[in-house]
Amino acid sequence: MKALRRLTVRAEFPPELQKLSDIVSNLRWSWHPDSQDLLESVDPELWHGCGGDPGRMLGEVTGARLSLLARDRRFLRRLDDVHDDLTDYLTQPRWYQRQQDSGDHVLPESIAYFSPEFGITEVLPQYSGGLGILAGDHLKAASDLGVPIIGVGLLYRSGYFSQSLSRDGWQLERYPSLDPQGLPIKPLNERAGDKNTPLVRISLPLTDGRDLHAQVWVAEVGRVPLLLLDSDIEENDTSARQITDRLYGGGKEHRLEQELLLGVGGVRAIRAYCRASGRAAPVVFHTNEGHAGFLGVERIRELVEHDDLSFDEALQAVRAGTVFTTHTPVPAGIDRFPRDLVEAHLTAMPGVAVDRVLELGAEDDPEIFNMAHMGFRLGGRANGVSLLHGEVSREMFSGLWPGFDTGEVPIVSVTNGVHAPTWMSREITEIVEREVGAETVDEGSWDAVDRVGDVELWSTRRVLRERLVNEIRRRIRTSSLQRGMTEAELGWTSSAFDPDVLTIGFARRVPSYKRLTLMLRDPERLKSLLLHPERPVQIVIAGKSHPADDGGKQLIAQMVRFADDAGVRNRIAFLPDYDIGMARYLYWGVDVWLNNPLRPLEACGTSGMKAALNGALNLSILDGWWDEWFDGENGWAIPSADGVADPDRRDEVEAAALYGLIEQQVAPRFYERTSGGVPTRWVQQVRHTIKVLGPKVMATRMVRDYVQRLYAPAAEAAERLTQDKFTAARQLAHWRSDVLAAWPGVQVLHVDSQVDGDPQLGGVLQLRAEVSLNGLTDSDVEVSAVYGTVDTEDRLTDVRTLPLSPVEQGDGVSRFEGDVPLERTGSFGYTVRVLPKSDLVSTPADLGVVAVAR
C-alpha cells in the first residue's frame, strides 16, 4: 500500500542545540565548509548515509545522540563559533552596503529576481540544468556581496527527474515525490517568522471561472530569501494542484499556467512577503529568461488599478525598472504559446488590457505569443550572457528594432559567472585563500598564485583526481546494479579508471547542438586514445535528456553502448543522474573539461568555468565564455568548421580536430614529466588558468556587473519615472505616442556636403541636412551624421556618429549641420539619420524607429 502523504518526524532538540536549527535552516551551510564539518560531526555515518542532507540527518538522528552532543563541550564551542559566524555573515555590512555608503551609485533598496528554476543544493532539487544553476549561483553571490535580492520561483513537488539507465542504455525517468516538510524551506506566515499567524496564500484567476491558489514557501539562501510558490494545496481542484508538479513538464496549457503563476503570482508573493517581513518593496525586477515575463503584466495591472495610470503610462514605469536576460541562442529555445490560449487565460484576469498584452508578445506568426519578445518589450534593459551571445542575440532579435544595424540593437552582455565557494574544492580554496586572500576581487592580486610550487599544485590535482576516480567507481557499480547486472559481473568496477591517467570530463544537458556523441564520430580512433600504451586517456560523461526528447535519449544510449564495451569500460563511463552532488566531483577532479557545441549555439557554458576554478584546462569550441577568455595558455581551442553547411561533414571535420588535439598536444603535455614525476609545462598551464580565469569566472564579478551596469541604472530610471505621482511616466507615454504617430512622415529630404580642397586625413567634411519632422520639434529628435569605412557593397563598417546641430526651421523643414572629421584614410562613406530623443529613455533605439537618408 502506497502512502498518500509523508512528513519528517524529528527528535526534539535539547535547548543547548537550538542553534543547530538556525544553521540548518539557512542554506549557507551548503557552501560553508565549517558548517558542513560541524553538521557531519553530529553523526558522521548518518551524514554520509543521508547524502550530506542535514535536514534528513536531523530527522533520523536519535534523541540519545542529541543528548550526548548537548553535553559535549567541544561540540558546543564549535556550534557557538559557527552560529556566531553565520550571524555576522547575515548582519554585517558587505560590498553592496559599502557601495551605498560611498555614494558612487544610486542603488536600489530591493531587487526581485525571477527564474523558473534554482539550483542551490542537491537537497532542494528545483533545477534541471545550467539556467537553474546559474540562478542559484546568482543568489549565493548576491548574498556574499550583500545585494538585497529577493528570489522568486516555483516549488515543484517532483522536481525535474531522477535519471537511471535500462540494460540497453536507454534513459529512464523517475519523479520522486518531495515532502516540503523535509526540504530546507519554511512556509511564509502573515508575520514572517511567527508561526501563530496564518499562512500566506496568493491566488489568481484561471479560465472557466477557476481560481489558482498557491502557498508561499521561503528558502533562506544566506542573506537572500527565495520565495517558492506551491499549488499542491487543498484550496485547489485536482488540475490546479498539479500545476507545480514538475519542472518543464506537461503540455502548452500546463506550461502557460506555470508561467502565469511564476510571473503574476510571483509579484503577488513578493508583495505579501514584503508586508510580512517589513522588507522594502523591489524597485528593480530581473527576469531570468522569458518564463517569468508575466510579472510585467501584473505590475502594469497594479499601477492601472491603484495609481490611476493608463496602460501606456504604466508600461513606461514598469519598463524603466525591468531587466531582461536572454539565455537562448536558438529560436527553438524560446517559449511560444498559441495566441488564443494566452488570450483565454488573460481574459480571465480582471484589469488586464488583453489586446495590449498580446501586442507585447507578437511575432511574425500572428497565431503565436512569444515570451522572449514580451521580455524585450517589457524590459528597459536587456542582456545576453557572454560577449558572443550578446552578438548572436542582437542578430537574432534585430527584427524588434527594424532599421537599426545589428550592433545598435540594445542588448548588452554580462558574462555569466559561477559561485566559487560552491564549486571550488577545499584544497584549491585553501591555496587561493592563502596566497590571494579570502575576499579579494582585484584581478591583479591573483598573480600571487604564481608563488604556488609545482609539486604542491601537482600533488593537489592528483588528490582531487583520485577522489573523482573513487566516486566514478562507486557510481558505475550502483548504476550497473540498477541496470540488472549481478555482483559476479562487477568485479572490474573496483579497478575502473586510474588516478594517474589523464582524465577528461564532459557533462551537460543533452540537446543535439551540444553534441554528446561527437567524440564517437570515429570509434576506433577514440579507442586508440583511450588505450594508448604510453599516453592513455579516460573520459567521464554525464547528462540528462529532456523526457520528451527521444533524439537526446538515443545519443545517451549510443554513448552507453560504447562505454559498455569490455575493451574500453575501464577508460570511459557514462554516469546517470547528473546533479550538483556529482558535478562537484567532476569539476574538482578532471584534468580537462571538454565542450564541443555547434558554434555559436552555446550561450555561455558555465560548466567549464567551474572546472577552471579547480585548475582544469578547457578543451572547447570557441563558443560562449571560452570565445571571450581563451588566451592560448589556459587550454585548447577546437577549430570550428563554421563555413561547412553539411552537418555531417562539419561533425567529421571538428571531430578530427578534437582527436588531433588530444593525441598531439593534450596527452603529450600531460605525460611529459621531469625526473621528479611532475609535468612542469602542464602545471604551468594549471597555475595560469587559476590565476587568470579565477577572478573572471566568479559569480561575484557577474553580480557586481549586474549591479553597476543594469540594476543601478534601472533603479535610477524607475525612481525618476515614478516620483511625483508618476509625472515623468505620464510625460514619457504621451511623448512616445506623439513621436510614433508622427514618425511615418519624418524624412531626411536632402543632404549636402563640402570639403575645402581635396579630402585629406585631418580635414573636415561640412555636412548639411534638410529634414521633415512632421510636426515634431528639434528637441524631439537627434539628427546625426553616421560615417565610417565603406565595403564593396557600400555598407558602412567601423561606424561612428556625430550629432548635427539645428540651425533653421521653417516651412515644415528643419535644417541641421555639422563638421565630420576625416580621421582615416581609404574608402570613406557617410549618411544622415534621425532618431527620437528624450532624456527619459535609456537608449536612442528605445522606440525602435529610425529615419535614414535615401
Side-chain angles (χ1 to χ4, degrees), residues 571-582:
R571 289 285 181 264
I572 187 168
F574 181 92
L575 305 182
D577 213 20
Y578 181 45
D579 68 354
I580 290 174
M582 181 198 296

Side-chain angles (χ1 to χ4, degrees), residues 381-453:
R381 286 162 178 80
N383 70 283
V385 291
S386 69
L387 284 179
L388 180 59
H389 181 235
E391 295 176 14
V392 171
S393 298
R394 287 188 287 274
E395 178 68 36
M396 181 175 169
F397 295 106
S398 60
L400 296 176
W401 291 272
F404 288 87
D405 289 343
T406 300
E408 296 178 304
V409 170
I411 302 174
V412 301
S413 295
V414 175
T415 302
N416 283 343
V418 298
H419 186 242
T422 295
W423 303 112
M424 191 182 284
S425 69
R426 290 195 187 189
E427 290 81 358
I428 298 294
T429 298
E430 289 171 1
I431 290 173
V432 170
E433 289 186 350
R434 184 189 74 210
E435 302 296 341
V436 179
E439 296 187 18
T440 182
V441 296
D442 176 22
E443 287 193 23
S445 64
W446 283 70
D447 289 343
V449 173
D450 283 336
R451 295 196 292 259
V452 183

Side-chain angles (χ1 to χ4, degrees), residues 270-301:
I270 278 187
R271 304 305 186 209
Y273 174 79
C274 292
R275 287 193 299 270
S277 64
R279 183 159 177 164
V283 177
V284 173
F285 284 73
H286 184 176
T287 309
N288 189 39
E289 244 325 329
H291 309 279
F294 289 113
L295 71 86
V297 175
E298 171 64 5
R299 293 172 59 213
I300 290 172
R301 185 202 62 77

Side-chain angles (χ1 to χ4, degrees), residues 10 19 55 123 157 193 206 323 397 402 413 424 466 516 718 784:
R10 296 176 177 168
K19 290 179 179 178
V123 306
R157 286 297 185 99
L206 297 177
V323 174
F397 295 106
S413 295
M424 191 182 284
E466 183 173 30
L516 167 70
S784 300

Side-chain angles (χ1 to χ4, degrees), residues 303-508:
L303 294 177
V304 170
E305 182 175 325
H306 301 300
D307 294 280
D308 196 30
L309 269 64
S310 70
F311 182 93
D312 287 319
E313 292 165 348
L315 172 61
Q316 299 315 311
V318 165
R319 288 186 76 248
T322 301
V323 174
F324 174 63
T325 298
T326 177
H327 289 265
T328 180
V330 290
I334 297 171
D335 269 346
R336 301 164 74 240
F337 296 106
R339 186 181 186 276
D340 57 357
L341 183 64
V342 176
E343 183 176 14
H345 281 74
L346 293 178
T347 300
M349 295 186 182
V352 173
V354 177
D355 288 345
R356 299 302 308 278
V357 175
L358 292 174
E359 290 173 5
L360 296 174
E363 62 158 68
D364 291 340
D365 185 341
E367 304 301 318
I368 294 297
F369 185 91
N370 188 308
M371 294 296 290
H373 286 194
M374 179 170 70
F376 284 114
R377 290 174 175 136
L378 281 172
R381 286 162 178 80
N383 70 283
V385 291
S386 69
L387 284 179
L388 180 59
H389 181 235
E391 295 176 14
V392 171
S393 298
R394 287 188 287 274
E395 178 68 36
M396 181 175 169
F397 295 106
S398 60
L400 296 176
W401 291 272
F404 288 87
D405 289 343
T406 300
E408 296 178 304
V409 170
I411 302 174
V412 301
S413 295
V414 175
T415 302
N416 283 343
V418 298
H419 186 242
T422 295
W423 303 112
M424 191 182 284
S425 69
R426 290 195 187 189
E427 290 81 358
I428 298 294
T429 298
E430 289 171 1
I431 290 173
V432 170
E433 289 186 350
R434 184 189 74 210
E435 302 296 341
V436 179
E439 296 187 18
T440 182
V441 296
D442 176 22
E443 287 193 23
S445 64
W446 283 70
D447 289 343
V449 173
D450 283 336
R451 295 196 292 259
V452 183
D454 288 357
V455 172
E456 179 184 8
L457 204 49
W458 178 242
S459 62
T460 299
R461 291 293 312 147
R462 206 276 181 186
V463 166
L464 297 174
R465 193 184 314 111
E466 183 173 30
R467 187 179 299 158
L468 170 61
V469 166
N470 290 334
E471 181 69 5
I472 291 171
R473 291 171 179 173
R474 184 187 72 80
R475 287 180 179 267
I476 291 175
R477 179 181 177 80
T478 300
S479 175
S480 298
L481 290 171
Q482 289 176 342
R483 294 173 66 192
M485 300 174 197
T486 65
E487 294 279 357
E489 297 176 87
L490 299 179
W492 66 274
T493 60
S494 63
S495 59
F497 283 64
D498 184 327
D500 292 309
V501 166
L502 171 63
T503 305
I504 298 176
F506 181 101
R508 51 191 39 86

Side-chain angles (χ1 to χ4, degrees), residues 187-200 216 272 276-277:
L188 176 64
N189 295 85
E190 289 186 1
R191 285 200 299 272
D194 187 347
K195 296 180 181 179
N196 297 318
T197 59
L199 296 176
V200 168
V216 182
S277 64

Side-chain angles (χ1 to χ4, degrees), residues 662-718:
I662 296 173
E663 185 176 56
Q664 299 162 23
Q665 297 188 39
V666 181
R669 186 162 296 174
F670 181 85
Y671 288 106
E672 183 183 278
R673 307 292 168 88
T674 65
S675 58
V678 177
T680 304
R681 185 71 181 89
W682 184 276
V683 174
Q684 287 174 352
Q685 285 190 263
V686 170
R687 186 185 294 107
H688 176 80
T689 291
I690 296 172
K691 178 181 73 173
V692 172
L693 291 181
K696 291 180 179 177
V697 303
M698 285 195 176
T700 45
R701 185 273 313 153
M702 171 188 72
V703 173
R704 291 198 310 270
D705 285 350
Y706 272 108
V707 168
Q708 294 166 345
R709 298 179 56 196
L710 294 169
Y711 294 163
E716 185 176 354

